[in-house]
Amino acid sequence: MAIVLQAKPRDVEKKSTIKKIRREGNVPAVVYGNGVNSRSIYFSNSEFIKVMREAGRNGVITLKVENEDYPVMVHDLQKDNLKDELLHADFYKVDMTSEVDADVNVHLVGDAAGQKEGGVVQQLLHELTVRALPAEIPDSIEVNIEELNIGDSLSVSDLKAFETYKVLNEPEDTIVSVTRPQQEEEPEDEEAGEQEPELVDGDSNEESEEE
């Protein structure tokens, strides 16, 4: 079943019009790509939130604008982080029979064996770029870290081969590693460093002569 987002054309490019659209709870946007001239639109912010929850960040959405239907993916979202407000959206019309590239979140699964010994899990890649048909792009890529001990790591080359998509990152790129905990400096060393040097006989004699 297609996930549908209703939108309306936005013909006027005035700042006052955009402000009015946002004030009424809508979001200005554009749709382009795959034989479509860039078209200005707007849609309901609340409806878009529902659609994103269902489709996911890389899901294919049927964008309905008047009598036109566009199979699209979200290409870019502009947000006001302070107000937690969506300011603008870019949709890219896709060809469902042609592969596209997309960034997919990496989700670590399990607790590393090295954590029991105090090891620290460091995730170096939070996203992987994949190439696949639009309908085959995964919501996330799961990486199991349960067998990682201190000093172990997992790279892109360690991932199993996927039938529906290809990971485009370099094989040697490290996704996650387990490192040793940083050792704290011993207090004795710090105290010793703060102690004032003892006077030697020569120093004592010189002070006496100066007096």
Side-chain angles (χ1 to χ4, degrees), residues 3 44-56:
I3 302 173
S44 165
N45 186 39
S46 60
E47 288 301 314
F48 180 69
I49 292 173
K50 295 177 183 178
V51 166
M52 290 299 290
R53 286 174 180 169
E54 186 176 355

Side-chain angles (χ1 to χ4, degrees), residues 18-56:
I18 293 178
K19 288 181 179 179
K20 181 175 183 293
I21 287 172
R22 291 175 178 153
R23 191 166 55 247
E24 294 175 347
N26 299 310
V27 180
V30 293
V31 56
Y32 54 88
N34 194 30
V36 176
N37 292 327
S38 180
R39 186 172 185 183
S40 298
I41 59 173
Y42 69 95
F43 53 84
S44 165
N45 186 39
S46 60
E47 288 301 314
F48 180 69
I49 292 173
K50 295 177 183 178
V51 166
M52 290 299 290
R53 286 174 180 169
E54 186 176 355

Side-chain angles (χ1 to χ4, degrees), residues 6-160:
Q6 298 282 351
K8 295 181 179 180
R10 175 171 57 92
D11 298 326
V12 182
E13 296 291 346
K14 294 181 179 179
K15 289 185 177 180
S16 58
T17 302
I18 293 178
K19 288 181 179 179
K20 181 175 183 293
I21 287 172
R22 291 175 178 153
R23 191 166 55 247
E24 294 175 347
N26 299 310
V27 180
V30 293
V31 56
Y32 54 88
N34 194 30
V36 176
N37 292 327
S38 180
R39 186 172 185 183
S40 298
I41 59 173
Y42 69 95
F43 53 84
S44 165
N45 186 39
S46 60
E47 288 301 314
F48 180 69
I49 292 173
K50 295 177 183 178
V51 166
M52 290 299 290
R53 286 174 180 169
E54 186 176 355
R57 179 65 175 81
N58 293 312
V60 178
I61 301 167
T62 298
L63 185 68
K64 287 184 172 290
V65 187
E66 295 183 314
N67 61 340
E68 296 285 344
D69 288 1
Y70 304 104
V72 300
M73 294 176 63
V74 175
H75 181 71
D76 186 48
L77 296 176
Q78 298 177 22
K79 296 182 178 180
D80 184 334
N81 293 325
L82 294 177
K83 297 181 180 179
D84 192 24
E85 178 183 348
L86 180 59
L87 299 177
H88 192 274
D90 289 5
F91 294 103
Y92 184 81
K93 182 175 181 282
V94 296
D95 177 357
M96 298 300 290
T97 63
S98 299
E99 292 182 328
V100 295
D101 296 349
D103 293 330
V104 178
N105 289 332
V106 174
H107 175 60
L108 302 184
V109 178
D111 296 323
Q115 287 181 279
K116 298 177 181 178
E117 302 173 5
V120 179
V121 175
Q122 293 188 335
Q123 185 174 355
L124 305 178
L125 286 180
H126 293 269
E127 288 183 337
L128 292 173
T129 302
V130 306
R131 179 169 295 163
L133 293 175
E136 300 291 349
I137 297 174
D139 293 331
S140 65
I141 297 176
E142 294 188 347
V143 177
N144 192 303
I145 63 171
E146 292 178 348
E147 296 183 4
L148 294 185
N149 292 297
I150 292 177
D152 291 343
S153 63
L154 281 174
S155 301
V156 172
S157 59
D158 297 315
L159 297 176
K160 66 178 182 179

